[in-house]
Each structure stands twice: as structure tokens, then as C-alpha cells.
Amino acid sequence: MCEEKYEMVRGVLVEEFELDPEKVRADAHLVDDLGIDSIDAVDLLVRLKELTGKHVPPDRFRSVRTVADVVAVLDTL
Amino acid sequence: MLNSKLGRAWRFVGTAVGFGLFGLGGLICGLVLFPLIRITVPGVDRRRRVSRWLVGHLFALFIRVMALLGAMRYDVTWENEVPRTRGYLIAANHPSLIDVVFLISLFPDADCIVKASLWSNPFMALTLRAADYISNRSPVEALQSCISRLQSGRSLILFPEGTRSVPGMPLRFRAGAAAVAVRAGQPILPVIISCDPSTLTKGEHWASIPPKQVRFLLRVLSPVDLPPEIKNCPNHREATSRANAFMLALFKAELGEGMQDKSHAPGHYVVQR
């Protein structure tokens, strides 16, 4: 897992969604642990696209469950 | 006359014939017309336009047949001329099964969300695919399609309730439509639908004919923009919940308490299209 991308995703989750930095860990479940709903997920994708400059295909996110999964998808872009 | 005992029996026949024709039409479309369109009309865009034109006209025909048979009555009023040059988030309350039939007949070019289960229905799959509607199989992808299609200047029909209204219960909106409204930034075109007495609600069988002839009234209001303080709110979650409250207040004011349309008396600005 790319450390830089992990910090970026963490940063977005903590700042944009006002989440507790303690809770935002690599193995944190987006829905169950962080309360990210589908609307938040859309915002997250938009923000990641802005930050990486790369289009994030939404279908790649179907199997995403945890913070580490998000980073893994970004790693493949 | 249509409210008498005999009238009710007649409305049963009318409703049965109407729905029968609807099913038959759907079958012919799914098995003949849309496969033909698929073969003969090249290009996704053209196929979409042709398909939606056809669906819109067939739905309009169904509504006219139902009204001619006396199964129901309906009026459509337009508060203002709605310029077709830009996209609107067409938001409607959802008292009955056939609301979407009315809306698509009024706005045949608009996108709409169709339940995931219907996309695997063999009679409907080709129609839905040709018309290029949005599936709700993945909520995230559905939301993204809604936003991007609106931003590209197309109109989109949404029911902010997310499901059909429950008669007698207070109106409730889920966050999806508000989220789309905030992020797409296009004006909202509210359509207030009333249906008196209530019919074809969730779980209600088509053959449960109400004692009185059903009257539908669709009021297409003027387009409204979200207030700038909501549009420009930096926190997206807060913007969504404020937009939701804004839309809910608008619909509640038009529908009145108990969700019965307050202006059910014959319209003051009746303009049939």
C-alpha cells in the first residue's frame, strides 16, 4: 500500500467528513466504522479525482469495503 | 354515475382493459419494437431518442385510454411555460404506481431511475437499455449518473420519497434527490401530484377499485433554484440536509397536511398541453 496515497485518503476522510483521526485506520470499514453512505462515497470519489487528477472509474469501487481498499484502487490507476 | 355501484363495476372493467393493454403494449415493445429499434437505429444517442419518444407516446396513450374508459380522470396544470433548453431535476411526490407514467408522458426526454430488478426482466430489459435509463443497482453509480446527466443539460425525474407515499403519513424525503440537487446545480422543477381517492399505493392490487372515480391532478410548478446559502454551503453533508429540508418544505406547503393536495378544487390555471 502506497503510504502517500494512504495519507491522502485519510486526509480527505478526516477533513471533509470530519471524522475522528483515531478511527480512520487502514482496516476501518467505510460504512460500518466510519458511517460513509453512498452520497459521501460520491463526494469522496469527486475529491480523489481532484487530488489525483485521474478519473476514478466508479465500477472499480464496487468491491471497496475498507480504507485500505480505496488506496488499493488508487494504486492501480 | 361512475361513482355508483354499476359505475364501480364499469371502472373495474376499464382498469382491467387499461392494464391489460399496458401489459400487451409492454410485451409487443419488449419483444418486437425494441429489438427492431436495436437493429435498425444506429448509435446509442439516436436509439435513446427514438426509444424515449416511443415510450413517452405509448404512456400518453395509456393515460388517455384509462381516462376514456372512465377508469380515472386527470388534469395537468402548468404554472409557467418550462423552457426545454436546459436540464431540470423534475422532483415529484409519489402517491401512486402510475405517477411515473404521467411524468414520462409529460417529459419523454428525461432520464429516470429504474429499479435494478426490472433490468433483468426479459420483457423490459431491451426497452430500458434502449431508452438508456439509470439502474439503481449500485447507489453510488446511480447518484453519479444522475449528477453527470443533469450537468450535461438533460432532465431527470426523481421521486425524493424514494418509494411510494403512505396515505395519511407525513411526507418524508430521503437524502438522494437533495444530494443530486446540490451537486448538479440545476434548477428543480417541482411536480405536485395528487390522487383522490388514493389508489395503486405500495402493495395495493390493481383490482382494488376505489369507491369513487380516481382523479389525478398534476401541477407543474415554476422551476426553483436552491437558495445560494445552501448551494454555497462548503460542508456537503450539511448542504444536502438543508436542501432536503428546503424541498420537503416546498412540497408540504403545496400538499398541505395529510398530503392531500389543497388545491384539489378545479384548477385556477388549467392549461392542458
Side-chain angles (χ1 to χ4, degrees):
Chain A
M1 187 169 72
C2 169
E3 199 59 33
E4 195 185 324
K5 292 203 179 86
Y6 172 60
E7 284 307 323
M8 181 178 80
V9 173
R10 262 196 99 222
V12 172
L13 288 170
V14 170
E15 278 154 39
E16 309 265 325
F17 300 99
E18 293 165 359
L19 294 169
D20 180 359
E22 296 274 297
K23 281 191 179 169
V24 185
R25 299 197 322 252
D27 62 346
H29 194 286
L30 291 173
V31 178
D32 298 341
D33 300 331
L34 305 179
I36 297 291
D37 62 17
S38 43
I39 297 166
D40 296 331
V42 171
D43 292 335
L44 179 65
L45 288 176
V46 170
R47 191 79 190 101
L48 291 176
K49 186 183 172 181
E50 285 167 4
L51 289 171
T52 59
K54 285 177 191 153
H55 176 63
V56 187
D59 53 327
R60 298 276 285 281
F61 267 85
R62 274 183 205 159
S63 55
V64 162
R65 298 286 175 268
T66 65
V67 175
D69 294 342
V70 177
V71 181
V73 169
L74 294 181
D75 277 340
T76 62
L77 294 177
Chain B
M1 208 260 310
L2 280 161
N3 294 339
S4 67
K5 218 168 182 181
L6 194 66
R8 194 174 181 185
W10 169 253
R11 282 185 291 116
F12 171 79
V13 174
T15 308
V17 170
F19 277 95
L21 286 174
F22 190 81
L24 191 69
L27 211 64
I28 294 171
C29 280
L31 299 180
V32 183
L33 288 179
F34 283 94
L36 265 178
I37 287 175
R38 205 182 155 76
I39 298 166
T40 54
V41 182
V44 178
D45 275 355
R46 275 182 67 185
R47 222 158 29 226
R48 184 184 66 228
R49 278 202 299 277
V50 171
S51 304
R52 289 188 183 182
W53 180 87
L54 188 60
V55 172
H57 278 79
L58 289 173
F59 280 9
L61 184 67
F62 167 74
I63 287 164
R64 269 179 217 132
V65 168
M66 289 287 274
L68 267 176
L69 291 170
M72 58 148 186
R73 291 196 312 145
Y74 71 95
D75 287 296
V76 181
T77 68
W78 299 75
E79 196 172 68
N80 257 309
E81 186 108 0
V82 177
R84 298 289 187 114
T85 45
R86 62 177 303 180
Y88 298 95
L89 199 175
I90 301 161
N93 58 315
H94 199 358
S96 92
L97 176 68
I98 60 174
D99 303 333
V100 75
V101 180
F102 277 111
L103 290 173
I104 287 181
S105 74
L106 294 175
F107 305 99
D109 304 329
D111 281 293
C112 67
I113 296 184
V114 182
K115 259 205 290 214
S117 58
L118 295 179
W119 291 78
S120 46
N121 175 329
F123 301 121
M124 295 192 69
L126 278 178
T127 308
L128 297 176
R129 228 169 285 161
D132 189 28
Y133 291 132
I134 301 169
S135 164
N136 69 350
R137 190 163 62 101
S138 147
V140 176
E141 282 161 62
L143 280 166
Q144 281 182 318
S145 302
C146 287
I147 295 165
S148 64
R149 288 182 190 206
L150 272 170
Q151 284 176 335
S152 74
R154 280 152 70 174
S155 288
L156 166 73
I157 297 167
L158 283 183
F159 294 108
E161 289 164 87
T163 183
R164 269 173 272 166
S165 321
V166 185
M169 293 295 282
L171 192 66
R172 289 195 58 176
F173 283 179
R174 294 195 195 160
V180 170
V182 167
R183 286 154 189 79
Q186 302 284 36
I188 299 163
L189 185 65
V191 181
I192 313 294
I193 304 177
S194 65
C195 153
D196 178 45
S198 82
T199 186
L200 298 167
T201 55
K202 192 116 185 153
E204 196 178 346
H205 197 264
W206 68 266
S208 64
I209 306 295
K212 218 170 77 171
Q213 188 192 29
V214 174
R215 181 178 174 224
F216 278 92
L217 174 61
L218 281 85
R219 292 188 292 130
V220 184
L221 305 186
S222 303
V224 280
D225 272 309
L226 289 175
E229 67 271 19
I230 296 180
K231 261 189 179 170
N232 304 329
C233 175
N235 183 320
H236 274 181
R237 279 179 174 173
E238 192 190 326
T240 302
S241 82
R242 288 176 67 180
N244 201 7
F246 173 82
M247 289 166 71
L248 189 61
L250 191 157
F251 274 81
K252 276 192 166 162
E254 293 293 337
L255 281 165
E257 288 306 313
M259 293 177 48
Q260 210 51 266
D261 196 315
K262 67 177 182 194
S263 61
H264 223 299
H268 25 283
Y269 40 69
V270 174
V271 189
Q272 282 272 9
R273 184 172 274 198

